[in-house]
Amino acid sequence: MGRMHAPGKGISSSALPYRRTPASWVKTTPEEVVESICKLAKKGLTPSQIGVILRDSHGVAQVRFVTGNKILRILKGNGLGPEIPEDLYHLIKKAVAVRKHMEKHRKDCDSKFRLILIESRIHRLARYYKTAGQIAPNWKYEAATASTLVS
């Protein structure tokens, strides 16, 4: 499948191991993993950052194989889930950065075009999350209030 706003048709991605059981060298218990996930979330880390730290520092390749649940489900179960989904948050953050750039460089037409593409992705993703029930049905992206969402 092609990219949304780019000509690329790349299909490269990482491949998960076939076995869904944790590796034999993983000695951490599911309770320890859940506890460390909650501790890292309280520090303000996103679910993907938590996964990277667990993989690199704690030797947990896939949290789902050890605990039986994904990181985001564990966080929501403990009341620590983010208020807006992570991918939508990062798109809003990117749009705010491009808007800030546009204030300084008014004649940058390419940035103006890219901002339109970013905001159309935000609207598309928000429409999906509204139907999936992950954000409120009356949630609306507004450029004026976007900087308060990401700060």
Side-chain angles (χ1 to χ4, degrees):
M1 190 170 132
R3 300 284 168 256
M4 194 183 301
H5 295 129
K9 292 186 176 72
I11 58 165
S12 65
S13 63
S14 62
L16 290 178
Y18 180 73
R19 284 182 14 182
R20 289 192 175 92
T21 55
S24 58
W25 42 265
V26 175
K27 300 294 181 210
T28 53
T29 63
E31 293 80 24
E32 291 173 2
V33 174
V34 169
E35 186 182 310
S36 59
I37 287 172
C38 293
K39 193 187 301 178
L40 291 168
K42 285 175 185 168
K43 287 184 182 176
L45 296 175
T46 62
S48 57
Q49 289 172 325
I50 292 171
V52 168
I53 289 173
L54 288 174
R55 183 195 67 200
D56 295 343
S57 303
H58 300 281
V60 179
Q62 285 289 316
V63 171
R64 187 167 44 107
F65 295 165
V66 177
T67 62
N69 267 331
K70 298 179 180 180
I71 295 174
L72 192 60
R73 286 188 183 154
I74 292 169
L75 291 177
K76 284 181 179 176
N78 290 314
L80 296 168
E83 61 271 0
I84 60 171
E86 191 178 354
D87 49 356
L88 185 61
Y89 172 82
H90 285 296
L91 278 175
I92 293 171
K93 193 174 175 182
K94 187 184 281 192
V96 167
V98 173
R99 265 195 197 280
K100 187 177 174 190
H101 169 81
M102 288 290 294
E103 287 174 11
K104 196 184 238 183
H105 308 283
R106 291 232 178 255
K107 292 190 174 184
D108 192 351
C109 292
D110 187 57
S111 291
K112 185 178 178 183
F113 175 70
R114 298 294 165 201
L115 179 64
I116 292 168
L117 296 183
I118 292 167
E119 288 184 342
S120 66
R121 269 184 295 210
I122 290 170
H123 293 306
R124 181 183 286 197
L125 204 55
R127 189 172 63 229
Y128 164 73
Y129 281 132
K130 283 177 192 174
T131 58
Q134 300 230 351
I135 56 176
N138 60 353
W139 189 90
K140 192 163 174 28
Y141 171 77
E142 291 162 357
T145 60
S147 57
T148 58
L149 284 172
V150 295
S151 61

